[in-house]
Amino acid sequence: MLLGMTALASRWRAISIPARSETLTHASYRLFTLILISMTLLLKYCEAALADRRGDMSQLRTRVENAISSLLPHGRVHVEDIARSLGMSERTLARKLSDEGLNFTQILQQLRRDLAVRYLDDRKLHVSKIAWLLGFHEVSAFTHAFKRWTGKTPSQTRTAGAL
């Protein structure tokens, strides 16, 4: 199974929403709830996307994708952070990925693309939320990246999926 995502999932599931009290304002409570729901949704989609590709993936790639997945909504996915979380230097990670014919940017972009396509299938998710879940600060940046990946805009992909 996906060890990194499983460990992450157990941490999320262990978080309980505190009862409303004077310590949490209404806005803080709603924000906390929204973040928890978003992270749970991200986990679900990441596990599904990774499961679809598991047969042809290396263990290192899976570990890198798991590490990336937890950082995507924060918009700060840097190779040095991923390498550190995997217990190796940035250069060692680059070398090991290169030995498998991969590079960090390629893995990041493919994971974002796969998750974007999967998210767009869920019509309840607004494009701005999808952009945030994938670590884009602007919807326009997500739209440009998606068009580069697929040749279509997110709205064109949704329209084509509805037919």
Side-chain angles (χ1 to χ4, degrees), residues 8-139:
L8 188 59
S10 65
R11 277 188 254 142
W12 286 340
R13 290 183 187 113
I15 297 172
S16 61
I17 299 173
R20 289 191 186 203
S21 68
E22 291 76 42
T23 58
L24 282 178
T25 65
H26 180 69
S28 297
Y29 183 83
R30 289 188 57 159
L31 180 61
F32 180 79
T33 304
L34 178 64
I35 290 170
L36 188 61
I37 291 169
S38 296
M39 296 304 274
T40 303
L41 180 66
L42 176 65
L43 174 67
K44 180 180 97 177
Y45 284 118
C46 287
E47 286 179 340
L50 292 174
D52 288 347
R53 298 178 19 209
R54 190 172 305 142
D56 64 339
M57 285 196 322
S58 73
Q59 185 179 10
L60 178 61
R61 182 183 185 130
T62 301
R63 290 176 58 211
V64 170
E65 287 181 341
N66 286 341
I68 290 170
S69 298
S70 64
L71 296 178
L72 274 177
H74 304 289
R76 51 176 205 257
V77 180
H78 302 288
V79 67
E80 56 271 10
D81 296 330
I82 301 302
R84 190 177 321 108
S85 74
L86 297 174
M88 60 183 81
S89 71
E90 183 179 343
R91 179 64 193 123
T92 300
L93 176 60
R95 183 177 37 76
K96 287 183 175 189
L97 289 173
S98 179
D99 290 346
E100 297 183 18
L102 301 168
N103 68 55
F104 180 79
T105 303
Q106 174 188 28
I107 292 171
L108 174 62
Q109 295 306 315
Q110 286 177 351
L111 180 61
R112 277 182 161 166
R113 180 197 177 283
D114 292 348
L115 289 172
V117 170
R118 192 170 292 275
Y119 289 155
L120 286 168
D121 286 342
D122 185 347
R123 295 203 170 276
K124 291 179 269 180
L125 282 177
H126 192 274
V127 173
S128 62
K129 183 161 187 166
I130 294 171
W132 176 77
L133 286 169
L134 296 174
F136 291 96
H137 296 292
E138 300 290 332
V139 174

Side-chain angles (χ1 to χ4, degrees), residues 142-155:
F142 166 62
T143 301
H144 289 296
F146 190 82
K147 190 164 185 172
R148 186 177 64 247
W149 298 329
T150 66
K152 297 179 182 178
T153 65
S155 59

